[in-house]
Amino acid sequence: MSRKAGRLGLLAATSATLVVAVLGLTGTASAATLFIDDFSDGNHSGWSQSGGTWSVVTDDSQVLHQAKADTDNARLFAGSSSWTDYAVQARVKPLTLPADGAVGLLARASGSTTFHRLVLLPGDQVRLEAVKSGASTVLGTASRTVGTGTWYTLKIEVAGNTVRGYVDGTLIGSGTSTVSAAGRIGVQTRYATARYDDVTVTTGGTTPT
């Protein structure tokens, strides 16, 4: 074999090694999907109800609707009570949001009144809370526009004792909480009406290096 052929073979081998190394650095592991519901089947089967008047209606697409405005605690729960570390996300549209109203997303619901909660509030406020037996502790809060008739994407991440809340991809608060180590997901309104869509629960994702 000539020197030129030997050099070309070495170059090809080196290039292949570099390609493998680059792919290893930029590859990502996909998050596992534990749960998804876009209500396109026209019902909310699989969810358990506690208060409120829930149905699936058309709002460009099929969405979940809570219509009872005079209840202080309308909730639906889904998923597994054994879920621990995960992220739950949903699109949320407040329809009515009076001075004492709230529209929220729940994570790690270990009971009907114990969970972590991210809520849209009147007065352009968003709050992340730990709720135990109905008593809430604020983990984080942020001022941002909250209006009726507008869709917002809410997300709660729970990992160990760390809880983070996001609205439209922006972190609005984080903190530590031990009120619940595992539990289901949920949606909730207080003296408000709202719609929900594209509820997903994921776990196990990684970030590229």
Side-chain angles (χ1 to χ4, degrees):
M1 182 173 63
S2 68
R3 283 187 189 174
K4 183 177 180 180
R7 286 197 301 269
L8 289 174
L10 178 61
L11 179 60
T14 303
S15 298
T17 302
L18 287 173
V19 169
V20 171
V22 170
L23 288 175
L25 286 172
T26 58
T28 61
S30 298
T33 300
L34 298 178
F35 176 92
I36 185 167
D37 198 346
D38 62 4
F39 307 103
S40 59
D41 56 4
N43 63 64
H44 56 280
S45 298
W47 294 76
S48 58
Q49 180 174 336
S50 179
T53 302
W54 299 88
S55 63
V56 173
V57 300
T58 300
D59 187 337
D60 292 331
S61 62
Q62 300 285 84
V63 300
L64 180 66
H65 178 59
Q66 201 295 106
K68 190 173 177 59
D70 60 351
T71 180
D72 65 342
N73 206 355
R75 292 150 296 172
L76 279 185
F77 298 100
S80 171
S81 59
S82 66
W83 286 349
T84 55
D85 295 352
Y86 60 85
V88 55
Q89 177 174 295
R91 293 199 306 130
V92 181
K93 180 197 278 190
L95 298 179
T96 60
L97 194 60
D100 53 354
V103 174
L105 179 67
L106 312 179
R108 279 188 183 166
S110 60
S112 61
T113 59
T114 298
F115 38 71
H116 298 98
R117 176 170 65 192
L118 181 62
V119 285
L120 301 173
L121 300 168
D124 294 334
Q125 293 289 310
V126 184
R127 196 159 63 214
L128 180 67
E129 301 173 333
V131 182
K132 184 173 183 179
S133 301
S136 63
T137 299
V138 177
L139 301 178
T141 187
S143 296
R144 61 150 297 152
T145 302
V146 176
T148 56
T150 300
W151 286 102
Y152 301 92
T153 300
L154 273 57
K155 181 179 180 180
I156 305 173
E157 294 178 345
V158 284
N161 292 337
T162 301
V163 186
R164 298 184 181 92
Y166 301 81
V167 176
D168 294 335
T170 300
L171 179 68
I172 62 93
S174 64
T176 58
S177 168
T178 58
V179 301
S180 180
R184 297 183 294 169
I185 63 166
V187 293
Q188 181 184 37
T189 65
R190 181 181 71 227
Y191 296 123
T193 59
R195 290 178 176 174
Y196 295 84
D197 198 12
D198 300 328
V199 183
T200 60
V201 181
T202 56
T203 184
T206 60
T207 303
T209 55

